């Protein structure tokens, strides 16, 4: 009975308070669910909406995404972060065109075989698009279930995650699965929030163990803290007398993989040597710009940019697939890390 009342109360709440007018909730297709779920990983709904709308306007189906230039895909993703998501979207679209006739697979196993699709994302596609009874376990749902059943421990630990999956499966209703899955996500995003849960408005309050016996904010346990390392780098922003900026494409792996950025050096003493010898330019002036502090998931990065004014040289290196001189307007159309885009906008 507890299982039935859990889903029943959640669905009643959803009918009254759930979110039903988000862009990806109109004309629901597996492609729309997939794209929205990938964008919503580590990112709030309010941020995703504009990116999702622009993305769908450009690539409205799997085939158009598969045929896209990877740089154009990354350009649309600029500012959304976690760029491996965009690279995996493009790779998965190509695979679906080659192996699945341009359609998304309709089994959990085949979905999870695609790059960037894990069990929770695959479950969301199966539930929201195909109306099949599969659980999900995104950040919001983990929080709701951990509090409801007072499951302690960090969800990143294998045993804790397994316990949450078992609970998620046991609570699945037989009807209205799509609405139920959406209700879980909505409750976590709007009521059962991380720091200030609105327990007085929660439909699960009457038998939520964390609410009845403890402080809901104790669940789930936070990720064990480790000292965040600090790194530093120096960016060379070379601008010639034609106003063009030199950019190079980063390797596909690592931070900002596949995006366009400025040449960088770890040591200050390398800045002048690199600008004159490796870039084959004649420097007019070198001016330090305000440092940038950027925070990643696993480390912090202090960036020291240097604006290097240089003479235009028709023999200057660039103009290939990995390096090039760009006007600022054209550069801003590329896939760029957020700090690079900010500096280019400042120079513009």
């Amino acid at each position: 009975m507890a299982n039935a009342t859990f889903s029943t109360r959640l669905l009643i709440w959803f009918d009254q308070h759930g979110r039903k007018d988000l862009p990806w909730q109109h004309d629901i297709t597996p492609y729309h669910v997939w794209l929205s779920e990938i964008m919503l990983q580590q990112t709030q709904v309010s941020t995703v909406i504009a990116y999702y709308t622009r993305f769908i306007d450009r690539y409205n189906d799997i085939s158009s995404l598969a045929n896209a230039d990877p740089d154009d895909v990354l350009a649309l993703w600029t500012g959304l972060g976690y760029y491996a998501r965009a690279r995996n979207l493009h790779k998965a679209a190509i695979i679906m065109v080659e192996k699945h006739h341009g359609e998304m697979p309709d089994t959990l196993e085949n979905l999870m075989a695609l790059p960037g699709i894990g069990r929770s994302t695959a479950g969301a596609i199966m539930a929201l698009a195909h109306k099949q009874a599969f659980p999900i376990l995104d950040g919001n749902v983990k929080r709701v279930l951990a509090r409801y059943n007072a499951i302690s421990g960090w969800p990143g630990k294998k045993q804790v995650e397994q316990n949450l999956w078992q609970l998620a499966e046991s609570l699945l209703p037989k009807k209205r699965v799509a609405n139920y899955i959406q209700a879980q996500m909505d409750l976590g995003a709007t009521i059962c929030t991380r720091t200030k849960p609105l327990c007085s408005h929660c439909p699960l309050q009457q038998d939520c163990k964390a609410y009845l016996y403890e402080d809901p904010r104790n669940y789930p346990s936070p990720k064990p803290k480790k000292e965040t390392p600090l790194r530093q780098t120096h960016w060379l922003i070379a601008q010639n007398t034609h106003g063009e900026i030199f950019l190079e494409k980063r390797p596909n792996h690592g931070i900002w993989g596949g995006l366009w950025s400025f040449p960088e050096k770890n040591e200050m003493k390398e800045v002048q040597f690199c600008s004159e010898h490796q870039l084959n330019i004649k420097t007019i002036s070198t001016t330090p710009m305000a440092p940038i502090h950027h925070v990643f998931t696993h480390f912090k990065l202090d960036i020291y940019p240097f604006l290097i004014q240089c003479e235009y040289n028709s023999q200057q290196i660039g103009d290939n697939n990995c390096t090039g001189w760009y006007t600022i307007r054209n550069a801003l159309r590329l896939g760029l890390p957020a700090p690079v885009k900010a500096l280019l906008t400042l120079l513009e």
Side-chain angles (χ1 to χ4, degrees):
M1 182 63 181
N3 291 0
T5 52
F6 179 94
S7 60
T8 299
R9 282 179 286 149
L10 202 53
L11 285 166
I12 291 172
W13 174 86
F14 174 76
D15 288 340
Q16 296 177 339
H17 306 290
R19 297 177 294 190
K20 307 176 186 70
D21 200 34
L22 297 170
W24 45 89
Q25 293 175 323
H26 303 287
D27 185 27
I28 295 175
T29 70
Y31 175 66
H32 292 159
V33 173
W34 171 48
L35 177 60
S36 64
E37 287 297 313
I38 297 297
M39 285 188 167
L40 287 166
Q41 293 171 2
Q42 308 290 332
T43 312
Q44 293 184 344
V45 168
S46 57
T47 301
V48 166
I49 289 174
Y51 282 91
Y52 175 86
T53 302
R54 285 195 295 268
F55 206 96
I56 287 294
D57 286 344
R58 179 78 68 86
Y59 308 118
N60 61 4
D61 58 20
I62 292 169
S63 296
S64 61
L65 177 56
N67 291 325
D69 186 312
D71 282 342
D72 292 338
V73 176
L74 287 169
L76 278 178
W77 207 270
T78 294
L80 200 54
Y82 301 94
Y83 293 94
R85 296 183 294 173
R87 296 195 298 274
N88 284 331
L89 271 173
H90 188 241
K91 291 176 186 175
I94 293 173
I95 293 171
M96 284 186 273
V97 166
E98 293 176 346
K99 296 185 177 181
H100 300 284
H101 309 290
E103 300 290 337
M104 293 209 71
D106 58 2
T107 68
L108 191 78
E109 294 74 16
N110 286 339
L111 284 168
M112 290 177 62
L114 294 170
I117 298 184
R119 181 179 176 183
S120 185
T121 300
I125 295 169
M126 294 299 296
L128 298 175
H130 296 298
K131 307 297 189 292
Q132 300 294 311
F134 286 90
I136 72 164
L137 207 59
D138 71 355
N140 285 318
V141 176
K142 286 178 182 177
R143 187 165 57 254
V144 169
L145 297 183
R147 288 172 175 173
Y148 181 73
N149 228 38
I151 297 176
S152 60
W154 175 50
K157 289 185 177 180
K158 186 175 181 180
Q159 186 57 55
V160 177
E161 187 177 40
Q162 286 179 347
N163 292 341
L164 289 169
W165 275 116
Q166 290 172 1
L167 180 60
E169 289 178 340
S170 70
L171 293 172
L172 278 173
K174 294 182 179 180
K175 297 180 179 180
R176 298 187 64 191
V177 171
N179 287 344
Y180 168 79
I181 293 297
Q182 187 63 54
Q184 284 186 302
M185 294 189 286
D186 288 357
L187 189 77
T190 62
I191 300 295
C192 195
T193 55
R194 185 170 62 89
T195 56
K196 296 180 180 179
L198 303 174
C199 296
S200 60
H201 299 278
C202 181
L204 307 176
Q205 181 199 91
Q206 68 186 56
D207 54 357
C208 172
K209 292 181 180 178
Y211 174 76
L212 294 174
Y213 306 120
E214 293 191 54
D215 185 341
R217 292 172 297 183
N218 293 338
Y219 296 89
S221 301
K223 182 178 180 179
K225 284 189 175 181
K226 293 192 297 185
E227 186 174 346
T228 306
L230 176 64
R231 304 176 189 174
Q232 63 176 233
T233 190
H234 300 80
W235 278 357
L236 284 65
I237 309 174
Q239 184 174 36
N240 63 33
T241 48
H242 285 193
E244 297 168 328
I245 300 286
F246 182 80
L247 295 174
E248 58 185 18
K249 196 172 188 180
R250 300 179 66 91
N252 284 329
H253 58 276
I255 64 167
W256 294 322
L259 300 184
W260 289 82
S261 187
F262 306 112
E264 63 178 52
K265 292 296 174 183
N266 292 329
E267 300 292 338
M268 173 62 193
K269 62 186 178 182
E270 298 178 282
V271 171
Q272 193 71 25
F273 177 83
C274 175
S275 63
E276 293 188 351
H277 296 277
Q278 292 180 277
L279 300 185
N280 190 29
I281 59 176
K282 185 173 181 180
T283 300
I284 298 172
S285 65
T286 300
T287 307
M289 302 177 70
I292 298 171
H293 186 67
H294 196 79
V295 179
F296 294 93
T297 306
H298 302 296
F299 67 95
K300 300 174 183 177
L301 181 65
D302 282 341
I303 304 166
Y304 298 92
F306 289 83
L307 178 60
I308 301 171
Q309 299 289 351
C310 60
E311 293 183 1
Y312 174 78
N313 178 1
S314 60
Q315 302 301 316
Q316 61 195 10
I317 67 168
D319 301 321
N320 59 50
N321 291 332
C322 295
T323 62
W325 291 85
Y326 294 89
T327 64
I328 294 179
R329 176 173 294 183
N330 287 338
L332 288 170
R333 297 191 180 106
L334 300 172
L336 305 167
V340 173
K341 186 174 183 179
L343 283 171
L344 288 173
T345 302
L346 180 65
L347 291 173
E348 186 182 36

